[in-house]
Amino acid sequence: MRQLYIGGSWTASASDEPIDVVNPATEAVIDHVPAGHPADVRAAVEAAARAFPAWSGTAPAERAKLLGDAAELLRQRADDMAKTIATDMGSPLGFALKVQTLMPATVLASYAQLAESHPRESRVGNSLVVKEPVGVVAAITPWNYPLHQIICKVAPALAAGCTVVLKPSEVAPLAAYALAEIFDEVGLPPGVFNLVSGRGPVVGEALAAHPDVDMISFTGSTAAGRRVAALAAETVKRVALELGGKSANLILPDADLELAVKVGVANCFVNAGQTCSAWTRMLVHRDSYDDAVRMAVELARGYRVGDPFDESTRIGPLVSAAQRDRVVRYINRGQEEGARLVAGGTERPHERGFYVEPTVFAAVEPGMTIEQEEIFGPVLSLIPYTSEEQAVRIANGTKYGLAGAVWAGTEERALAVARRLRTGQVAINGGRFDPLAPFGGYKQSGVGRELGPYGLEEYLEVKALQL
């Protein structure tokens, strides 16, 4: 069984219970990590608190160099990291390399730069306003982007001068261990970064409730986020939450329908649909609706489901049996409520592995379960509308507000509609994801922002010095 990384050393857990790490493509157990114990959390937080005064006082240039060295080492090990993620999480290898590994390396490098360049002082009236690191940060991260979501929290926290205790998802934890090895090799001072594996109700809750944790940054389900926030409120610690989504892909009548549907289907099915910002609702004008359904079905049938290490695979397995069963329940629920299954379904495409066929529903009406709730699988709902007002109302008609898209004949029109969407990020006519732009949600999709300078600001306190 692996160990924990606390105070600059690999350390045995106070818990002797192992957690199996399962390859979702083969269902084989490939590793074990400690279940973790509250005593491990206490030790890690103590190490982080001891390290904070020196690390927060370290010259920005020195912090920048360490983060830059780590980014370079991550790039050098990108192939191995991608294989790790493809094995314990199930992403197709090409996606695991380009998006799950090289994009986080880019983000890490961006924070190496921001560690030096981000302004920390300004003058307001007779005051000098300074920005200081918030303190000890607990980062709780999910399994769907097991390295990227870690980097989105750990990199800005370290750049700001904070120290970190990381609890990665126990479902796909191996990338976190590989990153800990990188931080150790580049010489990050002891206690600045700590890793405690384990389950949310034990390790996660202990971190959220610990009085010496100054901030908690959590990515996961909205239900779990509410629990984290409630525990954190007892000690009035800062909370950043990146939660669920049910993003709308709004295609206006004058848009390039074929392109909008093609890109929309790809966005919905990326990472086997296990993406919080996926455009899982496609809104199409009734005049074009049947054509859009036909296109979506043809496209879905072209997505090969299979082994993440097969170059022809476009959709790998879901991360676990529990996740597969969850998605199957939603597919059944969609049919029970009257939506029309036009592609995919609940049949297992392979004897072994947690696979689900890319699935498309037509005749989806606002208010249906599959239109309202986050499924987190390769399931697309096509929803007709008759007017722009109705389309905007449908797009805004869930408890979420994380991402979305608008397609129109002109950028000007698309922008006008995008400004009306209550969501944290909107792609205009297929604008690509920007890893340096702020990412986060409205409503129950979360609190705070990640990436770029906005992500760094989350880990800074503001102090006014009256002169």
Side-chain angles (χ1 to χ4, degrees):
M1 184 167 69
R2 289 176 180 255
Q3 295 184 313
L4 309 178
Y5 187 73
I6 298 176
S9 301
W10 291 102
T11 306
S13 172
S15 168
D16 58 5
E17 179 191 353
I19 296 176
D20 294 342
V21 181
V22 176
N23 181 330
T26 66
E27 304 185 36
V29 175
I30 56 172
D31 211 330
H32 302 86
V33 296
H37 186 277
D40 299 323
V41 171
R42 291 192 292 271
V45 173
E46 288 170 7
R50 284 194 304 271
F52 175 69
W55 180 247
S56 62
T58 299
E62 186 175 341
R63 293 201 297 265
K65 184 181 186 307
L66 288 166
L67 292 177
D69 289 347
E72 180 57 32
L73 197 51
L74 177 55
R75 289 193 187 98
Q76 292 175 17
R77 298 181 181 179
D79 287 339
D80 289 341
M81 183 70 83
K83 290 173 184 175
T84 295
I85 293 171
T87 300
D88 81 342
M89 188 265 146
S91 280
L93 184 59
F95 184 83
L97 176 61
K98 183 178 179 181
V99 177
Q100 297 267 29
T101 304
L102 292 178
M103 185 169 70
T106 296
V107 173
L108 182 54
S110 77
Y111 280 112
Q113 183 180 36
L114 284 167
E116 282 193 274
S117 65
H118 193 70
R120 298 292 183 96
E121 295 186 0
S122 61
R123 288 294 297 266
V124 177
N126 69 309
S127 297
L128 176 66
V129 179
V130 298
K131 296 178 180 179
E132 300 177 340
V134 70
V136 175
V137 173
I140 301 177
T141 58
W143 45 259
N144 60 325
Y145 288 85
L147 178 63
H148 176 67
Q149 288 302 136
I150 290 171
I151 294 297
C152 284
K153 301 179 187 306
V154 172
L158 296 181
C162 300
T163 55
V164 177
V165 179
L166 168 69
K167 191 209 87 68
S169 169
E170 71 277 14
V171 177
L174 301 186
Y177 276 83
L179 181 65
E181 292 169 358
I182 287 174
F183 282 147
D184 187 73
E185 288 186 38
V186 301
L188 207 63
V192 170
F193 172 83
N194 307 272
L195 184 157
V196 180
S197 62
R199 299 183 178 90
V202 177
V203 174
E205 295 205 2
L207 281 169
H210 199 294
D212 293 332
V213 169
D214 299 291
M215 174 178 173
I216 187 154
S217 181
F218 171 84
T219 296
S221 71
T222 297
R226 283 194 292 265
R227 175 62 177 165
V228 166
L231 289 168
E234 291 298 318
T235 49
V236 198
K237 55 173 57 71
R238 183 178 294 192
V239 177
L241 303 172
E242 200 268 279
L243 307 175
K246 195 67 181 176
S247 301
N249 180 20
L250 201 171
I251 305 173
L252 294 169
D254 61 341
D256 183 334
L257 181 66
E258 185 175 355
L259 179 62
V261 173
K262 180 180 180 180
V263 175
V265 168
N267 183 284
C268 180
F269 292 161
V270 73
N271 208 34
Q274 299 169 129
T275 301
C276 54
S277 57
W279 308 339
T280 53
R281 297 183 296 149
M282 184 178 291
L283 280 55
V284 185
H285 194 277
R286 285 194 181 274
D287 291 346
S288 306
Y289 185 76
D290 291 343
D291 288 338
V293 170
R294 174 182 53 77
M295 293 175 191
V297 169
E298 290 176 359
L299 289 163
R301 289 173 177 166
Y303 277 71
R304 186 179 184 279
V305 179
D307 182 355
F309 287 87
D310 186 330
E311 290 185 359
S312 65
T313 292
R314 296 189 70 184
I315 295 183
L318 299 183
V319 75
S320 65
Q323 188 62 22
R324 179 197 60 203
D325 293 346
R326 167 192 167 93
V327 173
V328 167
R329 286 195 298 271
Y330 274 110
I331 294 172
N332 288 332
R333 184 72 175 273
Q335 295 177 88
E336 292 165 3
E337 293 185 1
R340 182 162 53 94
L341 183 69
V342 291
T346 59
E347 293 296 320
R348 297 184 63 172
H350 300 288
E351 287 186 11
R352 295 189 67 80
F354 309 129
Y355 293 96
V356 172
E357 290 280 2
T359 297
V360 179
F361 277 103
V364 177
E365 297 294 332
M368 286 183 174
T369 300
I370 60 170
E371 192 268 339
Q372 288 287 308
E373 297 185 12
E374 185 176 47
I375 297 172
F376 231 57
V379 181
L380 174 65
S381 295
L382 279 93
I383 306 158
Y385 68 87
T386 56
S387 69
E388 184 178 301
E389 285 295 325
Q390 184 190 28
V392 170
R393 188 165 59 250
I394 293 170
N396 288 334
T398 76
K399 66 184 180 181
Y400 298 111
L402 187 57
V406 177
W407 299 79
T410 66
E411 182 176 284
E412 182 181 17
R413 186 180 182 197
L415 281 169
V417 173
R419 291 178 187 278
R420 301 175 64 191
L421 301 186
R422 298 285 296 166
T423 187
Q425 201 168 75
V426 184
I428 304 299
N429 284 339
R432 61 185 177 86
F433 179 77
D434 183 355
L436 304 180
F439 181 84
Y442 286 30
K443 300 187 284 186
Q444 293 189 36
S445 283
V447 178
R449 293 294 181 268
E450 294 184 328
L451 299 175
Y454 295 91
L456 183 60
E457 289 284 345
E458 295 289 332
Y459 299 91
L460 294 172
E461 290 279 18
V462 179
K463 177 188 289 182
L465 305 174
Q466 276 86 39
L467 305 179

